[in-house]
Amino acid sequence: MQRITITLDDDLMEELDAVIAEQGYQNRSEAIRDLTRAGIQQAAQEKGKAGECVAALVYVYDHAQRDLSRRLVDTYHHHHDLSLATLHVHLDGDNCMEVTALRGSGNEVQHFADHIIAERGVKYGRVVMMPTGKKAEGKKKGHSHG
């Protein structure tokens, strides 16, 4: 690890301390490390340089929307290599929520999520991506704890 010195104005420091208190960080360094990682990930994603990631795609849709279920299934089948598992929840008589665990390159995952969320009849959607620390090429299946 390296020790650095930064200068923050009083308002920003106040906001940082509020985040630290709200989220239960033990100290400022932990918070700044997490916020830095999140900023680096976001910048890479925005520049199209996102590597391998895991993600959760969450969306709410009107299950009665004409052909929506078929369109969603078709999209999943065309991107079967990204989808790990899906949870389907009936919210009420009209609405369903799906949560899908995804794994792949950040660009492919974002493209897939954007396509699902843009479907007519999908009311709300969000994708949360977390890097795995691996580059997109050379995907490795499975893992070991040994």
Side-chain angles (χ1 to χ4, degrees):
M1 288 218 188
Q2 294 186 26
R3 183 177 301 261
I4 64 168
T5 302
I6 61 171
T7 303
L8 303 175
D9 64 50
D10 292 338
D11 292 340
L12 186 56
M13 194 68 248
E14 199 173 297
E15 287 182 61
L16 178 60
D17 285 338
V19 167
I20 290 167
E22 288 171 13
Q23 295 187 9
Y25 284 103
Q26 297 298 312
N27 57 56
R28 288 175 173 166
S29 291
E30 288 180 18
I32 290 170
R33 278 192 291 271
D34 280 357
L35 293 169
T36 302
R37 282 187 203 100
I40 290 170
Q41 175 191 0
Q42 182 179 348
Q45 192 174 331
E46 288 171 1
K47 289 183 178 183
K49 296 180 181 177
E52 272 299 289
C53 72
V54 292
L57 171 60
V58 181
Y59 58 98
V60 173
Y61 68 97
D62 177 355
H63 79 273
Q65 176 73 38
R66 185 172 177 222
D67 289 331
L68 178 58
S69 294
R70 181 193 54 77
R71 291 192 316 268
L72 291 173
V73 168
D74 285 348
T75 300
Y76 274 89
H77 280 274
H78 285 100
H79 297 89
H80 63 87
D81 56 323
L82 298 176
S83 179
L84 300 173
T86 299
L87 170 68
H88 181 91
V89 180
H90 300 276
L91 299 175
D92 57 35
D94 298 319
N95 298 293
C96 295
M97 177 178 74
E98 289 195 351
V99 180
T100 301
L102 302 166
R103 180 177 57 198
S105 80
N107 296 334
E108 291 172 342
V109 167
Q110 187 67 56
H111 176 76
F112 174 76
D114 289 345
H115 190 79
I116 293 291
I117 292 168
E119 282 287 349
R120 187 175 57 254
V122 173
K123 296 178 177 183
Y124 310 101
R126 180 162 298 160
V127 64
V128 177
M129 298 192 319
M130 291 156 275
T132 62
K134 298 182 192 291
K135 295 184 179 169
E137 53 274 351
K139 245 197 277 196
K140 183 178 174 184
K141 300 281 183 191
H143 70 281
S144 162
H145 292 280

